[in-house]
Amino acid sequence: DIEEFLREHRFDGRATESFLAEPLEVQRMVVERGSLLTVKNPSAGLIGRIRDAKEAFRAGSGGHPPGRGDGVGGGPPSGPRGGGGGASG
């Protein structure tokens, strides 16, 4: 349950607002990945999960992106960040 997830974690205001601004499908994908109570910064973990869920949702996979299940890690950052990455030509 989404409301229970938010109550249980007590994320900071920015993370909570970001989460609530997402479509229900993205929120569900985030919640389905489980608890963030064991991570050092649950709010940062939530933001990471939102990002991953949005990418998966946009890709139409409806599945879960790779990761440790705690919103942290899961390989190299996806997409070109910092002006690089990917093949050209």
Side-chain angles (χ1 to χ4, degrees):
D1 174 65
I2 290 170
E3 290 179 15
E4 182 179 331
F5 181 77
L6 292 175
R7 270 194 316 271
E8 180 179 280
H9 289 84
R10 298 182 186 190
F11 299 111
D12 67 30
R14 180 176 149 260
T16 301
E17 288 176 18
S18 295
F19 178 76
L20 293 174
E22 295 302 328
L24 186 58
E25 292 85 358
V26 171
Q27 292 178 11
R28 286 182 179 152
M29 290 170 74
V30 169
V31 171
E32 286 174 4
R33 289 185 62 185
S35 177
L36 283 163
L37 291 174
T38 60
V39 301
K40 185 175 183 177
N41 186 339
S43 294
L46 178 63
I47 296 295
R49 283 191 185 180
I50 292 168
R51 180 196 64 233
D52 293 347
K54 285 168 60 170
E55 289 174 4
F57 184 68
R58 276 193 222 120
S61 69
H64 302 286
R68 298 188 328 208
D70 60 4
V72 180
S78 57
R81 300 198 192 271
S88 61

